[in-house]
Amino acid sequence: MTDPLKALSDLGVSIWLDDLARTRLTSGGLVRLTEQDHVVGVTTNPSIFSKAISAGADAYATQVASLAAGQADADFAVREMTTQDVRDACDVLSEIAAATDGVDGRVSIEVDPRLARQTGPTIEQARALWQMVDRPNLLVKIPATAEGLPAITQALSEGISVNVTLIFSVSRYREVIDAWATGLEKRLAAGQDVRSVHSVASFFVSRVDSAVDAALEKIGGDEALALRAKAGLANARLAWAAYQEFRANDRWAALEAAGAFPQRPLWASTSTKDPALPDDLYVVGLAGPGCVNTMPEPTLRAVADHGHVRGDTLDGQAEASLQLFDDLAAAGVDLDAVFVQLEDEGVDKFEQAWLELLGTVNEALSADRGSS
């Protein structure tokens, strides 16, 4: 019997779960995913926590009661609840982290998305989250906005491991690589070790297709419509080429000699939004040694059931991907505008999810106080 997830893992793809809820921890569900489905990491975001706490109120009831009794406000309560889940998940994955020198076994938690355009407060919250979770296999998620880039550099220079999130364009990704490398270089210049500092760069995939395909459908015509469902893969493959380009230069050679680990590309937003597309598209189409693919469980299950793993689909794809971008431009798609739109929408979506989460927790706190 074939095991597509094992095939991905054997190829060198780190399989991470894009989901976390307290019920996964208390039921042993996360442990089973590591034992049976080759899962070696976890990512979270405000939307995930909003759904987890809304759907699993009973699992959080005891903590909500304690927080309500202590007169906690919603902001404080959310941080206490989410950091506990992430801390416990870090503990579940601690053996994986130890076995991989910290490359895998990682769990991510995001800074408040309302800070996405504020450098100083982002740095302060990254420090606070690092201290609150207090686990070496944590990754603090910082968005790749213009204001987030210096925060990424500073956090890494202080020894905080970072998951850079909301990357949509290759040009911004190159800035992320520079921000990461600068952070490690600052750390080395201060005489500090870089071997314990890890980072991934989360490049969003399916959202690119959703936005580009909408533009192509508006343009219309057979030539434009034939380009649908191709931009997401091409964009990520160009990011992979940029990553490989950096790995070949002297700057990386110096960091590697000092003991640094590479900042691995992580493919995020890997569930297909168009039901007409293969549900394993953004997993088997972006497979290669040394990348991370984080999947919501439905995508993970789809790949496990019928994923068509066909080896390395990243290396050697740059030329064809550049040609596709030329074809999109010729068809009338303004890719730069699309990427700006996607970043703005991504920040807004996470902020709205955070506000919904605050509202859910505030209601739970009020209800508990009202019943006591």
Side-chain angles (χ1 to χ4, degrees), residues 270-285:
T270 55
S271 60
T272 50
K273 306 299 187 286
D274 183 347
L277 297 176
D279 49 15
D280 66 350
L281 178 66
Y282 303 120
V283 179
V284 301

Side-chain angles (χ1 to χ4, degrees), residues 237-254:
R237 288 166 176 167
L238 288 172
W240 180 258
Y243 168 68
Q244 297 291 9
E245 179 185 321
F246 179 82
R247 291 285 301 272
N249 71 25
D250 291 342
R251 192 177 186 190
W252 165 244

Side-chain angles (χ1 to χ4, degrees), residues 123-146:
I123 294 169
E124 291 174 7
Q125 191 163 105
R127 292 170 179 153
L129 289 170
W130 188 250
Q131 293 170 359
M132 287 180 72
V133 176
D134 192 26
R135 295 294 186 272
N137 52 329
L138 176 69
L139 290 173
V140 177
K141 292 179 77 173
I142 298 175
T145 58

Side-chain angles (χ1 to χ4, degrees), residues 154-233:
Q154 184 60 32
L156 289 163
S157 76
E158 295 179 16
I160 298 170
S161 294
V162 174
N163 177 343
V164 183
T165 189
L166 287 177
I167 308 173
F168 293 100
S169 71
V170 176
S171 60
R172 179 54 57 86
Y173 175 52
R174 290 183 184 277
E175 294 178 314
V176 167
I177 293 174
D178 178 68
W180 160 75
T182 301
L184 295 189
E185 288 160 352
K186 286 180 65 176
R187 190 164 175 82
L188 287 171
Q192 297 172 306
D193 185 28
V194 294
R195 287 173 291 185
S196 63
V197 186
H198 289 260
S199 185
V200 294
S202 294
F203 208 86
F204 281 49
V205 186
S206 67
R207 293 191 194 182
V208 172
D209 271 341
S210 296
V212 170
D213 289 0
L216 289 168
E217 286 162 10
K218 187 174 180 180
I219 293 166
D222 290 344
E223 290 185 4
L225 296 179
L227 299 174
R228 289 177 298 179
K230 296 179 179 179
L233 290 177

